[in-house]
Amino acid sequence: MDHEELKKIRDEIDVTNQSLISLFERRMELVNRVAEYKRERGLPVFDGAREKEVLEKCAAWVKVPNYRESCLWMMERVIEASRRYENKKIAEQKEAESRVTPASAPCRRVGYQGVPGSYSHQALRSYFAGRDVSERHFKLFGDVVSAVMSGEVDCGVLPIENSSTGGILEVYDLLRKNDCRIVGEKIVKVDHNLMAVRGANMADIRRVYSHPQGFSQCAEFFAQHRDWELIPYFNTAKSAEMVALEGDLSKAAVASREAAELYGLEILAPNINSSASNYTRFVVIAAAAQRDEEADKITVVIGLRHEPGALCRALSCFCGNGLNLTNIESRPLEGGSWEYFFHLDFSGHLREKNVERAVAELEKNTSYLKILGNYRADRAG
């Protein structure tokens, strides 16, 4: 082969490269549309099953067996570039959204799950004490989130964690799947009481109604009354309301003292929760982030690739930047066996340099990152 022949081959390689670049740009345009789909639905960027499917198809399309290994290596790099691009686009979109958010969006209409007398209602009244707000109650946690996202209410109050029984998993999932933001939190002391209609006594009780968390937090008490049927209900206050309306001496509810007073019930056994230090943490959510210079707590959700060291690398982003990680909760990734999202709380403000570094490092070491909020921590409890 002489020099002229080599030049012709290289010219043809340049033409081929140009075609590859055009195809790559077309591929990235499609990736951009996929990123938008995932952002709207709160889905993780990384989809192990889909990536495996793509590589298997590519392997089958290679006509020359000797090129298969190199082709798969190239496609792995293309997929990695696509994943990075999706993460970047989603992060840029969220940053743009946060920039147009008012510095202090008012919460005049506030929703909560349950009925008056519930712990959520107590959290609402405590958090918004002294402010002129209208209250609206909803049947389900999801109804509260939907009302916030549709603009029916300005803010919502949801329980997210109990000091005795851990996270409220449904709420964690709702926050990840919906494009709402945490703008505040309130910690409420929980004192459960067994209550029934006036005239009832302990010997009359056959069925007890409450939220499953209420039963869990009073497990030691109910271990002494195994003949009672424990029936899960929407929430503690709703249970009290139902018992009051039915007027059946054999039915009781587990709820707050405030609920007993509100619905005219008699407390048969006070403070039945297993732990005297029983607190529930509530989050206040809004449709958009609210800037607060005094915010000192951040909540994020991350997704990790199913590979050795993935969680360790993510957690090192906090340690390496001197940030205090205050809570971690795992939730399964839909459609991915033994793959998880992790909800993380840590101290700091998004404008602090060490927080900015940590977030940038998280973007590099995770397959999914969503900042749920930067807000003031409640120091109660």
Side-chain angles (χ1 to χ4, degrees):
M1 179 187 301
D2 58 22
H3 181 74
E4 281 300 315
E5 192 174 356
L6 176 62
K7 184 178 181 305
K8 288 180 181 179
I9 293 173
R10 285 177 172 171
D11 288 343
E12 190 171 348
I13 287 176
D14 287 342
V15 173
T16 304
N17 286 342
Q18 188 176 6
S19 298
L20 283 173
I21 294 300
S22 296
L23 289 171
F24 179 77
E25 288 177 338
R26 172 56 182 158
R27 190 184 197 281
M28 295 306 283
E29 289 174 6
L30 298 172
V31 166
N32 191 39
R33 290 164 62 184
V34 171
E36 183 62 21
Y37 177 91
K38 291 178 178 178
R39 187 193 69 80
E40 290 174 351
R41 291 159 178 77
L43 298 173
V45 168
F46 178 69
D47 184 343
R50 170 60 181 163
E51 291 189 7
K52 181 181 178 183
E53 177 188 356
V54 170
L55 291 172
E56 287 176 350
K57 286 181 178 179
C58 290
W61 291 334
V62 177
K63 296 178 180 178
V64 181
N66 287 343
Y67 298 161
R68 185 169 287 114
E69 183 178 348
S70 297
C71 181
L72 288 177
W73 181 89
M74 178 187 70
M75 288 307 303
E76 286 172 356
R77 304 290 81 74
V78 170
I79 289 171
E80 182 179 350
S82 301
R83 194 191 308 131
R84 288 180 180 275
Y85 181 76
E86 285 186 46
N87 277 318
K88 183 174 180 239
K89 291 299 293 183
I90 290 173
E92 286 175 351
Q93 182 65 29
K94 289 178 179 176
E95 184 180 354
E97 289 172 354
S98 67
R99 281 199 297 269
V100 300
T101 302
S104 181
C107 284
R108 296 192 178 94
R109 301 165 300 159
V110 186
Y112 67 97
Q113 186 268 340
V115 293
S118 65
Y119 293 108
S120 291
H121 189 230
Q122 290 181 37
L124 184 158
R125 294 215 159 170
S126 180
Y127 184 85
F128 291 99
R131 287 186 257 182
D132 183 20
V133 298
S134 61
E135 303 168 355
R136 178 156 183 199
H137 59 89
F138 296 88
K139 187 175 182 180
L140 304 172
F141 294 143
D143 296 338
V144 177
V145 175
S146 296
V148 168
M149 298 311 299
S150 68
E152 184 179 347
V153 297
D154 301 311
C155 295
V157 177
L158 294 170
I160 193 168
E161 179 187 12
N162 179 264
S163 59
S164 300
T165 55
I168 289 78
L169 305 182
E170 180 184 354
V171 174
Y172 276 111
D173 292 341
L174 284 168
L175 293 179
R176 176 181 58 78
K177 292 177 180 178
N178 293 273
D179 205 21
C180 54
R181 295 293 180 269
I182 300 174
V183 298
E185 75 171 6
K186 189 65 190 176
I187 297 175
V188 172
K189 179 76 163 63
V190 175
D191 288 314
H192 291 308
N193 306 272
L194 183 75
M195 58 194 68
V197 296
R198 298 190 184 281
N201 57 55
M202 295 286 282
D204 295 322
I205 303 304
R206 294 291 178 270
R207 295 175 180 171
V208 183
Y209 297 82
S210 190
H211 189 274
Q213 284 273 335
F215 290 136
S216 296
Q217 293 161 25
C218 305
E220 292 181 11
F221 174 81
F222 286 111
Q224 303 170 30
H225 301 279
R226 297 182 183 276
D227 55 325
W228 291 350
E229 182 181 0
L230 306 184
I231 303 174
Y233 209 63
F234 295 105
N235 71 16
T236 54
K238 192 71 176 173
S239 304
E241 181 188 49
M242 184 273 292
V243 167
L245 288 172
E246 294 204 358
D248 188 336
L249 294 175
S250 69
K251 294 181 178 180
V254 174
S256 67
R257 185 173 292 275
E258 181 178 316
E261 294 171 356
L262 186 61
Y263 298 111
L265 298 176
E266 183 176 353
I267 293 178
L268 302 182
N271 303 323
I272 62 173
N273 31 280
S274 302
S275 172
S277 299
N278 189 27
Y279 294 87
T280 295
R281 181 166 68 96
F282 292 82
V283 290
V284 181
I285 63 169
Q290 295 179 6
R291 296 189 190 92
D292 185 348
E293 295 304 319
E294 296 183 32
D296 56 1
K297 186 174 185 178
I298 301 167
T299 299
V300 300
V301 187
I302 62 173
L304 300 175
R305 289 174 283 279
H306 191 36
E307 60 187 33
L311 179 57
C312 181
R313 287 192 295 273
L315 295 181
S316 68
C317 300
F318 300 97
C319 178
N321 288 288
L323 295 172
N324 183 27
L325 188 64
T326 59
N327 184 49
I328 181 169
E329 187 83 31
S330 66
R331 297 294 298 132
L333 189 157
E334 297 91 336
S337 298
W338 316 119
E339 296 182 45
Y340 299 88
F341 290 109
F342 293 88
H343 292 250
L344 308 170
D345 294 335
F346 60 99
S347 302
H349 194 288
L350 286 171
R351 292 186 179 179
E352 295 172 351
K353 293 299 182 184
N354 59 335
V355 173
E356 290 179 351
R357 287 195 302 271
V359 171
E361 291 171 15
L362 275 175
E363 288 178 344
K364 295 178 182 177
N365 288 285
T366 60
S367 58
Y368 173 84
L369 172 63
K370 181 177 183 179
I371 298 174
L372 287 178
N374 190 188
Y375 51 95
R376 300 186 199 187
D378 186 8
R379 305 300 179 189

